[in-house]
Amino acid sequence: MNFDLDQEHRDLAAAAGEFLAAAGGPAVARAALDGGAPVRPGRAELVKSGYPAITVPESAGGGGGSVLHLAVVAEQAGRVLAGPSLVTYARAAVLLADHPDRLAGLADGSLAVAVADDDGPVLDAAGADTFLALRDGDLVCGPGTVTVRDPIDATRGLGDVALGETVVLARDAEQLWRRGERVGRTVLASEGLGAAARILEIGVEYAKERRTFGRPIGSYQAIKHMLVDVYVAVEQLRSLVWWAAWAADHAPGELPLAAAAAKAAAATTLDQAAEAVIQVHGGIGFTWEHDAHLYWRRAKVDRFLLGDDVAAFDEVARLAMEASS
Amino acid sequence: MDFDDTPDEAAWRASVRAYLERCGPPGDPRAWQAALYDAGFVGVTWPESAGGRGGTPMQQAIVDQEMSRLGLPALINLIGIGMCGPTVIMHGSEEQKQRYLKRLLRADDLWCQLFSEPAAGSDLAALRTRAVRGDDGDWRVSGQKVWTTLAHLADYGILLTRTDPDVPKHRGLTMFVVDLKAPGVTVRPLRQMNGEAHFNEVFFDDVPIPDAERLGEVGDGWTVALTTLMNERLSLGGGGTAIGPKSETVARHVAARIGALGADRQALARQELGRGYVAALGARYTGYRQLSKLSRGELPGPEASAGKLSGTRSARDLADLAVRVLGGDARVATTPDGDGVWQNAQAVMPGMAIAGGSDQVLRNIIGERVLGLPAEPRADKGLTFRESLR
């Protein structure tokens, strides 16, 4: 057993981190919130980088890589609140696996895809021209009309989707849909991991510098322990994300539990991290100018993507009870 | 990244499993440990010169996993194997190693760890048990230890003492191996809130200790103690499997009873099970990461403390849930199962959040040594131990 990233993964993370940090960052997220500026890197530039098509086979113009590769990149995307989400590409790659033309369109950017769930505004609907959905057990695909409302987090491209004329891509596609959802949950959790790890760093830096009553606030247990609780949660989330990504690639039987656990842990951890770090900052953390609320917005939105944390914990419990009875 | 056994690991697992299944559940715990040792499954990671096998952390983990899979109890000399032994290996003399280590692994001698005192728990370096050196170079020890697990059965202990009160507290300590059958040693068991008596008060009344039983240099006891403590946290936090009820066992228990609960309680029980289970899975896989680092030859760092923090938390939550699904029977120790096992598991957990470093102290360690946050001001900083008592 060797449960750790290898050098290839680390190199990939470093390169992706560099690209994503140069392409976007919290300032871009704020501009998107302020005046509707486009989210970065945006579909075109992201597709050009090749990262979103890592899991698409080479025969369709993708990277032929693993879910773990994509998860490693997604962590870096989460750190800088990049958009659109790699979750969308991960799910689409699963759903379109038997449709080489459409898959190639996903990889070369000629198709701008979003995956439409039925529980409210759709992730990355803004700017999408092709929608995948599950209708009466069938996987369908087609154009749609998008209505964008005032989003809590502008980086998620949320919009209500009314599907137009669709074609059926696969009958009885429940299983395929679930797998796409689970791979999506894994990548979402990885983005949450990156965001949580980054906001924790911001909080720790501030706690070292900011002084009150004659000493750095990070020396007070009240502050220190809050940040340590976030650190412990982030490291546990990291382990669950790696496990889920590994399961997606190598152990389909473990994926349902692993993906649900990672989703649940990501929802609660990012929320805990963002709330804690705003508290550590005091009033400054509550201002528009500070980055903390941008991560907080991510937390509040991501919690409800691909099911909420309550549903994910419930799924973990049902799977655990099933396995033990 | 790979969870599968390597061919070597698979062969090792097969031999461990075959042995454990053949020799069945233990009768006498000392004899069982001796037999396991003779079969090559105790002290796996210890060097051969210390009576071990010179094996890998992964081989040890496989032994632990297979024992856990069969529901076998922990070895009786676990504190000796996990904490005292490694300290002797690192800081002991050649003669001490020869005299003690193999007997420790075979449970010929049981060991305990004499650190905490009534006024020195979390602030361990504030301890007061005195060791005074005589003209012959040997030592006399007086004072009191407390919370000493297994002292009522133990033959030997590693004993942290104060040998110089006129230097700052961390610098005036010295470690010894002490014979618990020596004249002047009195052991008094303490009863825990779950009714059992695992730990003890130990009184030292002018107990002689030869200088040859010193571990490490005079005044360097803190360094020696840190070796023990790091191994302690690793063994308490390792993989989240070491603490409390197993998540699978709780899931089975909940599954068996959830149908009898009302709909609202079923939903609540599933939420709690989900939360506890996710935390247990997180602790397990974080333990695997730790194990992978150890396998590469890296030493356990302060982040090992995080495993104990999160393992304790999830074990507490799961023990609490297990009691809650008993319904009205949760109020009595004797359940329809007949054994009160979940009430007992619940009653053990508050101690786990204190033993081996309280949750609060572990948070300080992680905050300061992993996150690099500034230390809390210390009122005794720069003072000698004697001055700090005023």
Side-chain angles (χ1 to χ4, degrees), chain A residues 3-230:
Chain A
F3 187 39
D4 201 355
L5 300 183
D6 61 28
Q7 195 54 46
E8 184 205 350
H9 299 125
R10 291 176 204 281
D11 293 344
L12 176 64
E18 218 167 281
F19 162 74
L20 290 159
V28 174
R30 186 182 293 97
L33 203 59
D34 266 332
V39 175
R40 304 259 292 139
R43 283 181 194 266
E45 208 182 328
L46 197 56
V47 165
K48 222 184 324 167
S49 76
Y51 292 123
I54 285 178
T55 58
V56 172
E58 287 175 11
S59 58
S66 64
V67 174
L68 181 59
H69 286 119
L70 188 62
V72 162
V73 175
E75 181 185 344
Q76 300 301 318
R79 287 178 65 84
V80 295
L81 305 172
S85 175
L86 293 168
V87 171
T88 297
Y89 292 92
R91 289 180 81 183
V94 171
L95 296 174
L96 296 174
D98 290 332
H99 299 269
D101 293 352
R102 287 193 168 85
L103 206 51
L106 180 73
D108 68 20
S110 54
L111 279 188
V113 174
V115 183
D117 294 304
D118 292 328
D119 60 349
V122 169
L123 176 66
D124 295 326
D129 55 31
T130 305
F131 298 88
L132 295 165
L134 191 69
R135 289 287 176 272
D136 303 323
D138 298 337
L139 174 67
V140 302
C141 179
T145 314
V146 176
T147 313
V148 176
R149 287 181 281 165
D150 194 12
I152 291 178
D153 175 8
T155 66
R156 284 314 201 183
L158 295 171
D160 298 313
V161 175
L163 281 184
E165 279 294 302
T166 59
V167 294
V168 174
L169 293 188
R171 300 258 173 227
D172 299 325
E174 295 268 6
Q175 293 281 20
L176 181 68
W177 185 264
R178 292 284 162 256
R179 173 165 170 84
E181 210 169 53
R182 282 165 180 150
V183 170
R185 278 179 159 191
T186 302
V187 175
L188 179 69
S190 195
E191 288 184 343
L193 168 65
R198 178 62 197 134
I199 192 66
L200 172 62
E201 286 171 11
I202 292 170
V204 168
E205 282 314 307
Y206 188 73
K208 287 179 189 174
E209 286 161 15
R210 170 73 180 180
R211 299 174 69 85
T212 193
F213 302 110
R215 54 180 168 120
I217 60 170
S219 66
Y220 293 95
Q221 285 191 349
I223 303 290
K224 186 176 289 170
H225 290 190
M226 198 158 58
L227 291 169
V228 167
D229 286 345
V230 174

Side-chain angles (χ1 to χ4, degrees), chain B residues 268-305:
Chain B
L268 188 62
R270 283 200 309 273
Q271 279 301 300
E272 291 186 6
L273 179 61
R275 280 174 194 278
Y277 213 86
V278 167
L281 289 167
R284 178 190 305 169
Y285 288 101
T286 305
Y288 286 172
R289 283 168 58 198
Q290 190 77 37
L291 196 53
S292 299
K293 285 178 75 176
L294 287 176
S295 294
R296 289 197 301 267
E298 294 176 37
L299 290 173
E303 69 275 10
S305 299

